[in-house]
Amino acid sequence: QVPLSERPDPLATLSTEAEQARWCAKGLPRDRASLENGSIMMCSKRWSLIIDPQTQGSAWIKQKEAERNLQATRMGQGKIIQVFEAAIFAGTSVLVENMGESIDAVLMPVVARNTIKRGKQRCFKLGDKEIVCNPGFKLFLQTKLSNPHYPPEVQAECTVINFTVTEQGLEDQLLFLVMRLERPDLARTKSDLIQQQNEFKVRLADLEALLL
């Protein structure tokens, strides 16, 4: 007999309150759907393909990955191959914004994580070049299309996450905008309190880890 809690919570299983506080401090909306999306993105081994019409997911990624020298690019840009080569070798992050419903064939080995073993190293083949893969490399794909239709090979190789704003998230955002317009003093107080609460959660987790 497998032990089971009365109310299993996938969000609590995939992330801690301290991790969620760190994400919110970087710009992730605080509604449950956004927190679940963030947990899936952080726990997934595959690259994330986010459906993001309101660009709130890509805004969070840009802040979260800024310290890792995130490079933002788009399909069809002239230097996209050079951006990928540098990021793969250095172990930094790449965000491909405003994707359509197709991916350049030359980038498919990276999207599909098809590496070639050369001695003790693994390499990605981009065109006629083989780039040594740094384990720190991360790829994020973002589309503004609300209902995209990607081929099965793309959906099979990526974790598709829907960052479309929910009714609860939209209600919270509109309420905050109205409060900022009507009572800017209360809006500032709320932002300060939320920031302090997030800092306290992170500090508590750090202290617990130190004690254990």
Side-chain angles (χ1 to χ4, degrees), residues 67-131:
E67 58 188 19
R68 302 188 69 254
N69 193 25
L70 173 72
Q71 299 294 317
T73 185
R74 299 186 181 188
M75 287 289 177
Q77 281 192 347
K79 296 184 178 181
I80 187 171
I81 301 299
Q82 289 79 0
V83 170
F84 268 81
E85 290 176 355
I88 291 171
F89 184 77
T92 56
S93 302
V94 174
L95 170 63
V96 181
E97 297 181 295
N98 298 340
M99 286 181 50
E101 294 185 341
S102 62
I103 297 178
D104 292 346
V106 69
L107 298 178
M108 276 306 297
V110 181
V111 175
R113 304 171 71 98
N114 291 333
T115 57
I116 304 170
K117 193 169 184 180
R118 292 287 184 262
K120 295 183 179 181
Q121 298 178 325
R122 290 195 172 274
C123 305
F124 281 118
K125 188 173 181 61
L126 284 177
D128 57 350
K129 295 183 180 179
E130 291 184 1
I131 313 299

Side-chain angles (χ1 to χ4, degrees), residues 18-166:
E19 290 173 332
Q20 296 170 20
R22 290 191 182 96
W23 301 339
C24 292
K26 295 291 186 179
L28 182 68
R30 295 174 178 83
D31 60 282
R32 183 177 176 87
S34 297
L35 292 174
E36 289 176 350
N37 288 338
S39 299
I40 294 171
M41 181 181 295
M42 299 306 296
C43 294
S44 176
K45 297 297 182 182
R46 296 181 292 181
W47 309 133
S48 297
L49 170 55
I50 63 173
I51 300 172
D52 190 25
Q54 292 81 26
T55 69
Q56 59 182 9
S58 59
W60 170 57
I61 292 173
K62 288 178 180 178
Q63 290 195 48
K64 184 178 71 67
E65 296 292 321
E67 58 188 19
R68 302 188 69 254
N69 193 25
L70 173 72
Q71 299 294 317
T73 185
R74 299 186 181 188
M75 287 289 177
Q77 281 192 347
K79 296 184 178 181
I80 187 171
I81 301 299
Q82 289 79 0
V83 170
F84 268 81
E85 290 176 355
I88 291 171
F89 184 77
T92 56
S93 302
V94 174
L95 170 63
V96 181
E97 297 181 295
N98 298 340
M99 286 181 50
E101 294 185 341
S102 62
I103 297 178
D104 292 346
V106 69
L107 298 178
M108 276 306 297
V110 181
V111 175
R113 304 171 71 98
N114 291 333
T115 57
I116 304 170
K117 193 169 184 180
R118 292 287 184 262
K120 295 183 179 181
Q121 298 178 325
R122 290 195 172 274
C123 305
F124 281 118
K125 188 173 181 61
L126 284 177
D128 57 350
K129 295 183 180 179
E130 291 184 1
I131 313 299
V132 176
C133 180
N134 188 309
F137 170 71
K138 289 184 179 181
L139 173 61
F140 302 93
L141 308 172
Q142 180 255 357
T143 179
K144 286 185 176 181
L145 301 176
S146 58
N147 188 26
H149 298 280
Y150 289 103
E153 58 269 18
V154 174
Q155 298 195 36
E157 299 296 346
C158 298
T159 300
V160 182
I161 304 175
N162 190 351
F163 261 95
T164 304
V165 65
T166 61

Side-chain angles (χ1 to χ4, degrees), residues 191-202:
S191 298
D192 294 341
L193 290 175
I194 291 175
Q195 183 178 359
Q196 289 181 7
Q197 183 182 27
N198 290 337
E199 291 174 353
F200 290 154
K201 288 180 179 179
V202 173

